[in-house]
Amino acid sequence: MACSIEIQAAFILSSFVTFFVGLLILFIFRLIWRTIKKWQNIKGTGIILELLLRKSTGNKHLKSLHFHGVFRNRIEMLLSAQTFVGQVLMILVFVLSIGSLIIYFINSSDPVGSCSSYQDKTIPIDLTFNVFFSFYFGLRFVAADDKIKFWLEMNSIVDIFTIPPTFISYYLKSNWLGLRFLRALRLLELPQILQILQAIRTSSSVKFSKLLSIVLSTWFTAAGFIHLVENSGDPWLKGRNSQNISYFESIYLVMATTSTVGFGDVVAKTSLGRTFIMFFTLGSLILFANYVPEMVEIFANKRKYTSPYEVVKGKKVPPSLELETLFKCYMAYTTFVSGSALKWEDLRRVAVESAEACLIIANPLCSDSHAEDTSNIMRVLSIKNYNPNTRVIIQILQSHNKVFLPKIPSWNWTTGDNIICFAELKLGFMAQGCLVPGLCTFLTTLFIEQNKKVFPKQPWQKHFLNGLKNKILTQRLSDDFAGMSFPEVSRLCFVKMGLMLIAIEHKSLFHGCCGLMLNPPAEVKLRKNTLGFFIAESSKEVIRAAFYCAKCHGDVFIPELIGKCNCKTKIQRHFPGTTLLVKRGSMREFSDSTQSDDLPFGQARLMSNVSFATRAFLYEPEPGCDQLDDSGMFHWCRAIALDRVILKRMDKSKHEFRNHVVACVFGDAHSTLMGLRNFVIPLRASSYTRQELKDIVFIGSLDYLKREWVFLRNFPQIYILPGSALFPEDLRAANIEECSMCAVLSSSSKALSSPALVDTETIMATLNIGSLRVICAPHMPEEPWTSECFTGFPEKPKFRRIPILTELKNPSNIHYIEQLSGLDESFSGTNLHLSTSFSTGTVFSGSFLDSLLATAFYNYHVLELLQMLVTGGISSQLEHFLDKSFCGLTHSCTSVVSGRARCKLGLLSLNQTILSDIEPRKTFGQVFCGSLDNFGILCLGLYRMIDEEENNPEEKRGVCYLGKWYPSIQA
């Protein structure tokens, strides 16, 4: 039926009236709000206004305001693409918008001057779509911080000009095309939707979808406008110059105009249409000249801009399309601001004074690491000068540059200021993996999140996957633990709550410095409000340590029953009725009973178990004690000339190393220094005696190692063998057959065409070392972590593999060396952290360290504990304190005690060491309690052999896994 001018005007005016009236109301409300704020700033007026508001509102109104704020935050989370519901809503809105656009295409076949009746089945469907659009519009309006800005957004304009006419059609029982073509603008969200669906992953695909969405939405929207005005005619001429043109012909006209060709067979006749074509032609020059060639280039897979990026100082660029799409996916959490932290006006723009923290992220691919660090330190200075109370977390590339940050007057460790050096942590992980094989895997699993669903094929894989659920968590302990020793509290938490307490925050004995203590001795008593560090699966579990009540939970041994009680009278000092009497002698006697003959790891037979253990040693200085550095933290010696430590391949008989560490290094005279000092420091920690130190042999380019030697010359028992790990002769010259561990360190960053090539030298060296076979001599003692001797035939001699720890920069390269594990039953098609090589502790990758920035933001105590574990047992805060307090006291008793009163990590066999006295020890729970009760040793996990029936391809060849803290797992 015909559609009169009045009906058409009702459809058009409903949208314009809604837009402008809504905008006017929002402006009025903002003006009123600003006026109230201005009155509050006038002296005296704000107090009177506050009193009036309190009388008129009351508590119920204040509660409703709080509820409104919480509700808005929930809506904002709901709309974010980070949540599953938000992703579903965004996809649903996009699909329904495309559906509404398709209905418009169907209805456009009718004349523009006619109205569709409700007998048309597409009208109720379109009405249903718009009801949902109205609901989604309301949610977005509630969640918006700036209502006026939201009202002027593209998607809001689309909704305002398409939703009201639908309700008008319901009232008039007829429908008109009107401005429904604006739904085509929703195509601009195509890249975001495809990224949510993980249909596109690369930057080129994101760019192509972005360009395609711009071109299509522009064509469809422009064609809809041409179709409307050409079929309706100019309003002032009452439609006398209208022409009958289909929507397809309108698209044809728009595409011809975009290409700047214009055949003239279809032209605009109305003044409005011609005016629009004039402006659209100018825009088409930009659209066709820029976007279309880029789309063709991407589609044709032409590679352009292959040269490496050169950093230009002072040059700032906007975010890329891929990063911009990422910002949109997390729009509820991210806001991009272009500026510099060195300028106060930019710091004021981002409201640094109100920020919870400021994270300064370094560029690991920069050409000059020292310049990158110094520039970031200057940014810290700028932020601290602007607002001294702002919490700063900075990433440093070279560890020796950390010393400048604590010297900033407003630097404050206690408020969360923190320094993260990935190179220090990465090499610290590798060093601890040389001392305690498998520890790299053990610690890494505490900081990774496994979201992929996998199905274990063997029992050991099931236990390992369960271990991946655990993480390091902190919790304030119940005051009922005050006065108890750490071993007592740790045992109680393990037995009653199923928690593993490994460390506490405690005020140190020297100079009152507050720091972390890992497994402190029984002499250290817990105080009220002590912070505990746990290994557990969730915060719901560790909260039990805060709820524990000696009166209410004394007889409870089911962890789930320990909750918040209503007990009003708390026992200030409590010792359980069944007090654990840890039988110890003096610390001197305890130390003497575990000399180096016990601590080195004994022989591990098939099916034997080895446990990770931490132990507190308080050394008493003896005459002629070891020479330590100024802080007493590490073994030290006078500077050694480089030519004295260089080994020659021909003189192997002169340097018969045994039970040493071989480190394979790749680099040349121009390579960026990786900082081998960070690898050496944990191996020279003063918590180990001089007799326990292992010789370190570096194999690599002499030109590179010369540059590193400046930072290594004051550490004892370090040697350099010029050569390469790619040549077996050089490996044998270092007596690799007798080493306790061979560490293959990845080379410095290089500009390579493929990420798979960054680990080329590392992988080749690993394959080279893995192919070596050592004959098992009858007199040769084996370490518990080395592979068992194996042979396929009884008459042939037995061989063993060389223990190796490989660092990979690209975790996806694990499949190149996974074959060395010797197991067929691996996780098929999985990543590094689900590989057999990782589970056995022979591969490490520092890719997970990126998440430590977020960890430091949410809980800096966890990062401090990690630094203690991997860098020699001392935190950055305590290290800085000792550097200031004990400088120059190298040989003093104070330095020795302070430096050596630390735990050390070890790998102890259950059959060949002091742990063999523990009875019973059939389960991990029994081993944990027995080692803690009898020796003060905190057992963190198991390094177990695979049973024969668990698919051992080489029969007697042992493959290890981390059993972790499950009391029922057999030891």
Side-chain angles (χ1 to χ4, degrees), residues 681-952:
I681 281 180
L683 299 175
R684 292 295 176 262
S686 60
S687 54
Y688 297 95
T689 64
R690 193 64 173 256
Q691 292 75 22
E692 292 175 325
L693 298 184
K694 297 178 183 289
D695 294 328
I696 305 175
V697 180
F698 288 105
I699 302 178
S701 169
L702 184 60
D703 293 334
Y704 175 81
L705 292 173
K706 279 181 181 179
R707 299 162 59 203
E708 290 274 9
W709 185 248
V710 179
F711 306 99
L712 304 177
R713 58 188 179 186
N714 291 108
F715 293 104
Q717 299 175 235
I718 297 180
Y719 304 92
I720 292 177
L721 179 63
S724 173
L726 302 179
F727 299 102
E729 295 80 7
D730 294 335
L731 296 173
R732 293 191 178 93
N735 205 20
I736 195 172
E737 301 92 342
E738 305 291 338
C739 74
S740 63
M741 183 61 69
C742 178
V744 182
L745 307 179
S746 63
S747 58
S748 302
S749 301
K750 297 179 181 179
L752 298 174
S753 57
S754 174
L757 300 179
V758 297
D759 296 313
T760 301
E761 294 172 320
T762 305
I763 294 172
M764 294 176 65
T766 302
L767 296 176
N768 189 25
I769 299 170
S771 64
L772 298 177
R773 295 292 184 270
V774 182
I775 299 178
C776 294
H779 64 278
M780 183 181 63
E782 294 180 9
E783 304 285 2
W785 61 82
T786 57
S787 298
E788 290 289 333
C789 297
F790 61 89
T791 179
F793 303 95
E795 65 274 7
K796 289 189 176 181
K798 295 184 177 181
F799 297 90
R800 66 178 178 88
R801 295 181 184 270
I802 295 173
I804 187 172
L805 177 59
T806 303
E807 177 194 357
L808 292 179
K809 280 193 171 183
N810 185 4
S812 61
N813 287 333
I814 180 63
H815 63 276
Y816 291 111
I817 58 178
E818 179 69 349
Q819 55 185 316
L820 292 179
S821 64
L823 285 182
D824 296 330
E825 295 293 340
S826 181
F827 297 99
S828 58
T830 53
N831 56 17
L832 168 74
H833 299 131
L834 292 176
S835 64
T836 304
S837 298
F838 177 76
S839 61
T840 57
T842 58
V843 173
F844 169 76
S845 177
S847 58
F848 78 98
L849 294 175
D850 293 332
S851 63
L852 292 182
L853 287 169
T855 302
F857 171 72
Y858 288 108
N859 193 342
Y860 66 91
H861 295 291
V862 174
L863 178 63
E864 189 176 1
L865 177 64
L866 179 64
Q867 290 173 333
M868 287 183 61
L869 290 172
V870 302
T871 59
I874 186 170
S875 63
S876 300
Q877 180 180 357
L878 191 58
E879 181 182 6
H880 177 66
F881 178 83
L882 291 172
D883 285 342
K884 295 191 300 182
S885 301
F886 300 110
C887 183
L889 302 179
T890 309
H891 303 284
S892 70
C893 298
T894 306
S895 177
V896 174
V897 172
S898 64
R900 291 191 162 179
R902 326 198 304 267
C903 277
K904 58 182 177 182
L905 300 169
L907 200 61
L908 302 180
S909 171
L910 295 182
N911 295 333
Q912 303 295 329
T913 62
I914 55 177
L915 297 184
S916 60
D917 297 333
I918 299 175
E919 290 295 340
R921 52 189 177 94
K922 294 183 178 180
T923 65
F924 176 75
Q926 294 172 347
V927 173
F928 179 87
C929 296
S931 61
L932 191 62
D933 295 347
N934 299 322
F935 310 108
I937 295 177
L938 191 63
C939 188
L940 299 180
L942 295 178
Y943 199 51
R944 251 181 51 166
M945 298 294 183
I946 291 181
D947 298 337
E948 267 190 284
E949 61 268 23
E950 293 184 10
N951 187 23
N952 193 344

Side-chain angles (χ1 to χ4, degrees), residues 365-503:
L365 300 179
C366 63
S367 58
D368 191 345
S369 300
H370 181 73
E372 178 73 8
D373 283 345
T374 53
S375 62
N376 286 333
I377 293 174
M378 291 300 297
R379 291 182 175 91
V380 176
L381 276 172
S382 175
I383 294 170
K384 288 293 187 180
N385 287 337
Y386 178 78
N387 185 24
N389 298 324
T390 298
R391 178 186 172 198
V392 175
I393 302 172
I394 180 175
Q395 177 188 354
I396 290 294
L397 298 180
Q398 297 181 339
S399 59
H400 58 268
N401 290 324
K402 296 194 306 180
V403 297
F404 299 104
L405 290 162
K407 297 176 182 178
I408 298 176
S410 55
W411 185 269
N412 192 347
W413 296 101
T414 59
T415 59
D417 289 343
N418 222 316
I419 308 170
I420 301 178
C421 181
F422 286 175
E424 179 184 46
L425 293 175
K426 180 187 67 174
L427 293 175
F429 267 93
M430 294 291 292
Q432 294 292 354
C434 294
L435 291 171
V436 186
L439 184 64
C440 289
T441 300
F442 182 87
L443 295 177
T444 302
T445 54
L446 299 177
F447 291 90
I448 60 175
E449 195 106 6
Q450 180 57 39
N451 298 321
K452 187 176 181 180
K453 187 100 173 170
V454 292
F455 301 97
K457 302 177 182 178
Q458 299 295 335
W460 72 269
Q461 295 175 340
K462 179 181 178 181
H463 295 319
F464 181 74
L465 289 176
N466 288 334
L468 293 179
K469 300 176 183 178
N470 292 275
K471 56 182 73 72
I472 296 179
L473 300 169
T474 59
Q475 177 61 54
R476 294 287 173 182
L477 300 178
S478 170
D479 290 344
D480 282 19
F481 293 130
M484 298 175 63
S485 66
F486 178 85
E488 293 172 337
V489 178
S490 181
R491 192 185 196 280
L492 190 150
C493 290
F494 186 84
V495 174
K496 284 181 171 288
M497 310 175 200
L499 302 175
M500 179 176 285
L501 177 66
I502 62 173

